[in-house]
Structures are given as structure tokens and as C-alpha cells.
Amino acid sequence: WIDVSRVSLELREEEAERYRRSMKVRCLYFAQCRDIVGKREEEFELPEGTDTNQFLAEYLLVRHPTLEDIAKTSLLAVNLEYVEKDNPVVLKEGSEIGLIPPVSGG
């Protein structure tokens, strides 16, 4: 038998430890994203080990739910390198994240 209460406690302790080891990252907003948020950049404190998909879903869109529609089609860059949504990157202390909306024009 598995002691579910013990496993649950261990998972909560592991999550708590992850939050104790936090890091700061900076998110840069471009074009429409900047207009929606109302600022050019913003700092986030995240648990160590957070990846780009977690950042979007659990932090950025929680803080700025009005970005949800545009975030679906925006590009994400970490430290000047584009990141594919199906291949997330683990963020590190001091990472710079760029949220770049689609451009139009001809």
C-alpha cells in the first residue's frame, strides 16, 4: 500500500522548497503587448526551474489575463533567442523574456 498522505506531504514540501529557491526574470513587452500591459518591461519572481510555458500560463497570464489572446500568436524569446512553445526552455536568474506579437504590414 502507498501512504497517500505521506506522498502528498512530500510533494508539498518539494514544491515549498522550489518556491524558497526563487529567481528574478525580466519580461519585455513589444508593440500591442506593451499597449495592453501599459509598460515596456516588468520583473517577475519565479520558483527556480520554471520553464517558458509555465511562465506564460502560471505567471504572465495570471497577472495580465488581457494578454491571453495575443499571447497565443506571439513569439517568445529568452535572452535574444526565440523559443518554440513545444520546446520550452528552463529560465534562469536574470533571464530576459521578450513577448513579441505578430507583425502585420505589406
Side-chain angles (χ1 to χ4, degrees):
W1 291 92
I2 297 175
D3 183 353
V4 176
S5 62
R6 183 175 162 200
V7 171
S8 179
L9 177 63
E10 288 172 2
L11 290 175
R12 284 194 307 260
E13 288 173 354
E14 182 178 306
E15 189 68 14
E17 180 60 27
R18 187 171 161 236
Y19 276 91
R20 280 193 288 276
R21 294 186 316 253
S22 65
M23 61 183 175
K24 290 184 180 177
V25 300
R26 189 166 58 134
C27 186
L28 308 177
Y29 303 108
F30 296 92
Q32 297 127 312
C33 295
R34 180 177 47 227
D35 295 340
I36 291 168
V37 173
K39 53 181 105 176
R40 292 179 177 208
E41 63 183 67
E42 184 171 25
E43 189 173 85
F44 286 80
E45 188 164 349
L46 308 174
E48 200 173 78
T50 300
D51 70 31
T52 48
N53 288 347
Q54 291 169 316
F55 169 72
L56 280 173
E58 299 172 22
Y59 299 94
L60 181 67
L61 295 179
V62 169
R63 190 178 290 183
H64 301 291
T66 53
L67 284 173
E68 186 171 2
D69 287 339
I70 200 162
K72 292 175 186 173
T73 56
S74 293
L75 294 173
L76 197 67
V78 175
N79 300 327
L80 304 176
E81 297 282 333
Y82 287 114
V83 175
E84 298 290 330
K85 290 179 182 172
D86 59 347
N87 192 18
V89 171
V90 174
L91 300 168
K92 298 187 179 352
E93 174 72 34
S95 289
E96 187 175 84
I97 304 155
L99 188 61
I100 308 159
V103 290
S104 60

